[in-house]
Amino acid sequence: MTAEKILVTGAAGFIGFHLCKRLLDDGFAVTGMDNMNDYYDPSLKEARLAILQGSDGFNFTRLDLADRQGMEQLFNKTRPSIVFHLAAQAGVRYSVTNPHIYVSSNINGFLHVLEGCRQHKVDHLVFASSSSVYGLDTKMPFSEKDHTDHPVSLYGATKKANEMMAHSYSHLYGIPTTGLRFFTVYGPWGRPDMAYFSFTKSILEGKPIRLFNFGKMKRDFTYVDDIVEGVVRIMSKPAKPDQDWSGDTPDPSGSSAPYRIYNIGNNNPVELGRFVEILEECLGRKAIKEFHPLQQGDVVETFADIDSLFQAVDFRPKTSLEVGLAKFVEWHKNYYGEHKDENQ
């Protein structure tokens, strides 16, 4: 397997960094690309990238997904056999006020990835989708076999569009594509715009934290190492046509084309209030809490049905919130202890 040429988009991002690190540790040669934008503190991306660039077998290209010519050149140069597409404009709430960025990156950018895969006959495209596609759905746990036609944010809508775009390319050109719906990923080297990260910073500084939906939100928090383990296992299981698939009773998770969708979540939703209690225990400090109504674009609860993932690759996320948050807090204290001048 180590002879595979692997391209990872969003390599300096949170999940992309951890995936690249795992692939390099496993002996793969990896080409990473990222536009290093300033959606959040670029110095964190630079620090992740510095670790990857210290590894043998890693090459990096600074590039924006929306750059059609640049993406064509990247595929021509690297000729990957496997593509992990993790780059995207992230953030549910940011999409409410900055919609055009999401179409440029998440729609146009994904088209450029699909075209690269088509031109170079890639063996497997694994791409990041999101629990956000479930939108207004209230049937729990969320199953890939459920229809996802009512996203409540443009971010969720772009991720749903990615799934449909991937299916069309699988159908037209036979490209094996697998979409992974991530559920609230957290852990060391995480994104500062995520609640657990900003909560930690505020609690350490004695500042109040804002709990939306009056603290009654529930999330299927999934530790980043579990996400990466699932992604790596999926890599060697390219999507195949489902011979039993029928257009009379279409299963949204599969197809007569080589296309598949999986949830990757912890299968254990935790209320935000309980999440904060665990974080307080890890930090050894109490939070000052402010309660607010539900924000635009947010869903009240996420809860992943992961039976399909287990059946496919014999894996279920196993890291408890207590263990995962303790690891994040340890990293946060170490990292920001060494970077006191950066946003602290």
Side-chain angles (χ1 to χ4, degrees):
M1 272 300 280
T2 51
E4 299 280 10
K5 293 181 179 178
I6 297 177
L7 172 64
V8 179
T9 72
F14 172 34
I15 300 173
F17 161 71
H18 282 279
L19 176 61
C20 287
K21 196 167 182 301
R22 167 66 184 273
L23 292 170
L24 291 164
D25 288 345
D26 288 351
F28 291 95
V30 178
T31 296
M33 67 141 285
D34 201 295
N35 69 354
M36 307 298 287
N37 70 26
D38 60 357
Y39 169 64
Y40 60 79
D41 182 12
S43 68
L44 188 58
K45 298 178 184 182
E46 295 286 357
R48 295 182 191 129
L49 183 59
I51 292 172
L52 296 177
Q53 290 180 316
S55 304
D56 291 335
F58 183 76
N59 290 296
F60 179 72
T61 298
R62 182 167 181 156
L63 180 64
D64 196 299
L65 284 173
D67 181 348
R68 178 178 173 180
Q69 185 177 11
M71 290 296 291
E72 288 175 355
Q73 291 171 349
L74 178 66
F75 272 88
N76 286 335
K77 179 182 176 183
T78 59
R79 299 187 177 276
S81 52
I82 294 174
V83 175
F84 291 103
H85 177 56
L86 303 179
Q89 178 56 57
V92 168
R93 292 166 188 166
Y94 193 68
S95 71
V96 175
T97 52
N98 299 273
H100 294 88
I101 299 172
Y102 287 77
V103 172
S104 176
S105 179
N106 300 6
I107 303 296
N108 295 339
F110 189 52
L111 177 61
H112 299 157
V113 171
L114 288 170
E115 274 294 292
C117 292
R118 176 177 76 86
Q119 295 286 351
H120 296 280
K121 297 180 171 56
V122 164
D123 293 336
H124 194 190
L125 167 62
V126 181
F127 66 95
S129 187
S130 167
S131 60
S132 297
V133 302
Y134 289 104
L136 290 176
D137 291 11
T138 54
K139 175 176 163 283
M140 298 287 171
F142 292 144
S143 168
E144 306 95 329
K145 297 183 182 301
D146 297 334
H147 290 278
T148 52
D149 299 323
H150 299 92
V152 294
S153 69
L154 184 65
Y155 171 73
T158 63
K159 289 298 185 178
K160 168 71 172 177
N162 287 171
E163 295 179 0
M164 300 297 92
M165 293 165 73
H167 179 267
S168 69
Y169 269 66
S170 293
H171 174 75
L172 290 169
Y173 309 114
I175 303 167
T177 64
T178 303
L180 303 175
R181 293 173 179 167
F182 298 148
F183 281 68
T184 316
V185 190
Y186 75 100
W189 295 99
R191 279 174 30 208
D193 63 312
M194 297 290 284
Y196 71 93
F197 205 117
S198 61
F199 285 178
T200 298
K201 184 174 184 291
S202 294
I203 293 170
L204 287 171
E205 293 175 353
K207 296 178 180 177
I209 63 173
R210 297 191 296 170
L211 301 179
F212 292 99
N213 200 39
F214 307 101
K216 300 300 182 184
M217 310 275 275
K218 283 188 176 181
R219 289 291 180 268
D220 208 356
F221 296 99
T222 315
Y223 189 64
V224 66
D225 287 357
D226 287 334
I227 290 285
V228 168
E229 180 64 32
V231 172
V232 169
R233 292 194 186 201
I234 285 292
M235 173 176 69
S236 57
K237 295 267 187 177
K240 296 179 180 178
D242 181 353
Q243 302 301 326
D244 298 323
W245 193 90
S246 168
D248 291 335
T249 54
D251 174 359
S253 68
S255 176
S256 55
Y259 166 85
R260 199 70 176 82
I261 295 290
Y262 295 104
N263 290 333
I264 300 189
N266 211 37
N267 194 226
N268 180 32
V270 175
E271 193 168 277
L272 201 53
R274 174 57 187 152
F275 173 87
V276 172
E277 288 176 4
I278 297 171
L279 187 57
E280 288 173 328
E281 290 165 10
C282 293
L283 290 168
R285 300 190 188 191
K286 285 290 184 182
I288 305 165
K289 301 167 189 172
E290 293 179 352
F291 295 95
H292 296 269
L294 190 68
Q295 277 200 318
Q296 261 193 319
D298 272 348
V299 295
V300 174
E301 181 177 0
T302 64
F303 180 10
D305 179 336
I306 54 173
D307 287 348
S308 293
L309 179 73
F310 180 74
Q311 290 165 11
V313 295
D314 192 29
F315 176 70
R316 295 180 187 274
K318 59 183 182 297
T319 306
S320 70
L321 199 52
E322 288 81 359
V323 169
L325 274 180
K327 289 182 177 180
F328 167 73
V329 166
E330 180 183 12
W331 168 81
H332 189 280
K333 288 181 175 178
N334 288 337
Y335 180 80
Y336 286 105
E338 296 166 4
H339 298 73
K340 291 183 183 298
D341 59 328
E342 295 180 8
N343 297 331
Q344 292 291 301

